[in-house]
């Protein structure tokens, strides 16, 4: 069983930087594909970034350049660093994962449907 716990949210100022963390327990972290999603008030859930077991990453074009996803297998933790924070980043941020041994490809990592495990989310509020 894999459990995911997000942290690092809270109140931040526009223009600043923030790093979110997703700590995993159970299972084998190094085999997981992990991703970040967010859902703002009145908005649908959107894909942000994913990291695969090899460490390679992919981003949604809307956040590429400002967002950096990474993973530390020794710490069983995935990170999301957000630079130049905007009020539009206000949302609940979730991490999600699936075991990389299952069938997958880069074309479907943006879909929430492929992820088997989800954290409860961490709230980020960006003030202007």
């Amino acid at each position: 069983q894999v459990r995911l716990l997000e942290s690092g949210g809270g109140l931040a100022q526009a223009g600043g930087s923030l790093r979110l963390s997703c700590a995993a327990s159970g299972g084998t972290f190094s085999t997981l594909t992990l991703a970040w999603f967010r859902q703002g008030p009145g908005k649908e859930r959107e894909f942000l970034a994913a990291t695969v077991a090899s460490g390679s990453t992919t981003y949604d074009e809307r956040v590429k350049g400002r967002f950096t996803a990474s993973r530390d297998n020794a710490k069983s933790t995935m990170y999301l660093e957000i630079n130049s924070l905007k009020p539009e980043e206000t949302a609940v941020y979730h991490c999600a994962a699936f075991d990389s041994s299952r069938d997958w490809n880069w074309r479907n990592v943006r879909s929430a449907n492929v992820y088997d495990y989800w954290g409860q989310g961490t709230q980020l509020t960006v003030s202007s």
Side-chain angles (χ1 to χ4, degrees):
Q1 184 179 359
V2 175
R3 295 182 178 182
L4 305 174
L5 179 62
E6 304 93 339
S7 63
L11 181 63
Q13 295 182 352
S17 299
L18 192 74
R19 188 175 75 166
L20 305 178
S21 299
C22 173
S25 61
T28 303
F29 183 84
S30 61
T31 67
L32 297 177
T33 291
L34 303 109
W36 286 100
F37 293 82
R38 72 182 177 191
Q39 186 167 18
K43 299 180 180 179
E44 63 183 9
R45 181 170 51 195
E46 63 177 335
F47 170 82
L48 300 174
T51 67
V52 301
S54 66
S56 297
T57 62
T58 186
Y59 299 90
D60 185 86
E61 291 297 326
R62 292 171 293 180
V63 302
K64 187 176 182 179
R66 294 194 302 111
F67 286 35
T68 303
S70 61
R71 64 190 293 156
D72 187 336
N73 289 345
K75 296 181 179 180
S76 297
T77 302
M78 174 182 65
Y79 304 98
L80 182 67
E81 184 171 353
I82 309 173
N83 297 314
S84 301
L85 282 164
K86 302 177 180 180
E88 303 90 90
E89 262 79 73
T90 296
V92 177
Y93 286 72
H94 292 268
C95 63
F98 65 83
D99 196 291
S100 299
S101 64
R102 66 189 293 270
D103 189 27
W104 69 277
N105 58 61
W106 288 106
R107 293 186 295 276
N108 60 27
V109 293
R110 289 171 168 79
S111 174
N113 295 332
V114 306
Y115 292 90
D116 300 312
Y117 311 104
W118 290 83
Q120 294 185 358
T122 183
Q123 173 72 48
L124 172 62
T125 302
V126 182
S127 63
S128 59

